[in-house]
Amino acid sequence: MRSRTEAVLAGLVVLVLAGGCADPAAERVSLVNDSGGPPSSSLAPGMPRVATGSPTPVPSRPAPSATAPLMPVVVPVTSLAEPMATGTPLPASGSPRFFVTVGAPYVAPGPFPPGQSPSASGAPAQLPPVVNDAATGAFVAPVPRPKGGPSGWELVAAAPDNRTFALAGGILGKSFRFFLVRLEENGQPGEPRLVPEAEPEPEQVVALALSHDGTRLAYACDLAEGGTKVTVLDVATGRRRDWTTFGKLVDVAWAPDGRSLATVGNGWGIGLLDLAAGGTDLRKASRLLRSYTEVPLPRSIAFTPDGRALLYTAGSNVNRLSVDGGEPERVAQAAVPAGARADLRLSVDGSGRHLLYTHDWRAYRVDLADGSATSAPIDIGSTQPRDGRSAVVAW
């Protein structure tokens, strides 16, 4: 469960209202843009700030020479012959209209929605994932709880169309399950559909991504013996393909053409996994773009819509790196809110223009095109959580 590893979240920085109250000011952050001229900066107190100036090269340090570590002791699965996701992409439709929030525990006794009462053990019950309006922050609807669904929802990922979402959650004492849910044009969610359990389920998922055509999931799973397993899963059949490596991956992202995965993590750096490559060794099947010594405090990664570059976070810096290699450029540097983790988890929308991150049940949205930034408390439509965990969101 995500609560046993961290208190943050994929899919989704948003504008939200709590008690009908959103920040009235539209703040502006300075970003490095293509013209080289940063937008003006006028921020309200507490909003993220971004460094101004021309594109900032990210300093690099040579990776120390070391003998390659042994592979983790695990038997990878190779039941999925074609891990690529080359179907027609689900098209982005401009600015996102909705986002989905997960990871919201109840913190006060009742009233509880039907079927959502606390467990007999006294552990806090969790709200279902909820849909929020991205423009107004209004609560739209809860995602229906599927029969036999998780006791807690931990991760969410989105396709570029802002209507197709993947959810991951764990069963107490057992493992994760994956579901797909589709939103109507008014944001009302349909019934979550369980991804078939044709293969053993992962014990602990730390990252989740949905392919642009909606046919494949990619996820990273911590291994008990050390290292990470990366899996591509066919959502129609449950068949999968695994790769393993030492090092701790923290995020994965699909290329727009569905032929590769971007990976980032501690003891790993930034890599591109060629899904057509054979074998199960992640390092051998990947092309490393940055050494782990060059990516301090990694947390999130995403492709730009054209597939030519990656956006990734290193601490509070948002950097852009060409998939052909070279030196990255810093495009944003947000001031970390008081009490927040030093490494930011970002969700990038299908247009590649908007970034979203959360802290302490507050959502922060940055527009990379004009530098504007807004924030608002996250309204989940019920008892407001106060346990210090941050929401996990995607759009």
Side-chain angles (χ1 to χ4, degrees):
M1 305 291 293
R2 182 55 58 114
S3 59
R4 51 184 185 244
T5 56
E6 67 181 68
V8 187
L9 169 282
L12 175 64
V13 171
V14 294
L15 300 175
V16 199
L17 297 177
C21 172
D23 286 359
E27 301 88 354
R28 185 166 297 276
V29 296
S30 297
L31 301 167
V32 176
N33 53 31
D34 293 337
S35 63
S40 61
S41 177
S42 177
L43 287 84
M47 280 304 302
R49 295 181 180 271
V50 174
T52 62
S54 58
T56 306
V58 177
S60 62
R61 293 175 290 168
S65 59
T67 302
L70 298 175
M71 292 297 295
V73 181
V74 67
V75 179
V77 173
T78 57
S79 62
L80 181 61
E82 297 291 341
M84 290 78 73
T86 56
T88 302
L90 300 170
S93 55
S95 297
R97 291 179 56 197
F98 308 104
F99 62 91
V100 172
T101 303
V102 303
Y106 284 116
V107 294
F112 301 104
Q116 297 293 323
S117 60
S119 66
S121 66
Q126 286 199 332
L127 288 166
V130 297
V131 181
N132 294 88
D133 187 294
T136 67
F139 171 81
V140 176
V143 175
R145 180 180 176 86
K147 184 178 180 180
S151 54
W153 298 97
E154 303 295 332
L155 294 172
V156 59
D161 64 350
N162 191 233
R163 299 295 185 277
T164 309
F165 292 82
L167 301 165
I171 306 296
L172 287 176
K174 298 182 181 178
S175 53
F176 272 71
R177 289 185 176 180
F178 301 102
F179 294 82
L180 295 180
V181 64
R182 173 79 182 172
L183 306 187
E184 302 293 340
E185 283 304 305
N186 61 2
Q188 292 295 316
E191 290 288 335
R193 176 169 63 87
L194 176 67
V195 174
E197 303 175 55
E199 304 288 357
E201 298 166 328
E203 290 295 328
Q204 182 175 345
V205 178
V206 297
L208 179 68
L210 180 59
S211 64
H212 287 226
D213 65 0
T215 67
R216 303 283 193 272
L217 288 177
Y219 59 88
C221 180
D222 281 348
L223 298 175
E225 64 272 20
T228 303
K229 175 165 65 72
V230 172
T231 296
V232 169
L233 183 71
D234 186 319
V235 301
T237 67
R239 294 186 180 277
R240 78 176 203 241
R241 174 81 177 275
D242 295 340
W243 296 261
T244 58
T245 188
F246 270 93
K248 291 292 186 180
L249 300 188
V250 295
D251 203 12
V252 296
W254 282 93
D257 65 5
R259 298 181 181 277
S260 61
L261 288 177
T263 57
V264 65
N266 297 296
W268 173 254
I270 295 175
L272 285 180
L273 169 61
D274 180 0
L275 295 177
T280 59
D281 185 328
L282 184 68
R283 187 171 295 274
K284 291 181 179 179
S286 299
R287 176 166 57 93
L288 286 180
L289 302 180
R290 303 292 286 174
S291 162
Y292 67 90
T293 63
E294 301 169 309
V295 189
L297 294 174
R299 191 64 191 90
S300 300
I301 198 162
F303 277 88
T304 56
D306 60 10
R308 297 179 180 177
L310 300 170
L311 295 173
Y312 71 94
T313 58
S316 60
N317 292 325
V318 181
N319 300 328
R320 179 169 51 216
L321 175 68
S322 169
V323 297
D324 295 326
E327 293 297 313
E329 293 178 343
R330 188 177 65 196
V331 297
Q333 184 181 29
V336 179
R341 291 172 56 107
D343 53 341
L344 295 179
R345 179 193 291 272
L346 296 182
S347 176
V348 182
D349 77 319
S351 71
R353 173 172 174 169
H354 304 100
L355 304 180
L356 182 70
Y357 65 95
T358 63
H359 169 62
D360 196 22
W361 294 92
R362 192 169 189 87
Y364 297 82
R365 170 175 170 164
V366 178
D367 189 324
L368 288 178
D370 61 16
S372 62
T374 53
S375 81
I378 297 177
D379 179 9
I380 56 175
S382 186
T383 306
Q384 192 70 12
R386 304 290 184 187
D387 71 342
R389 297 182 65 201
S390 289
V392 175
V393 294
W395 59 11

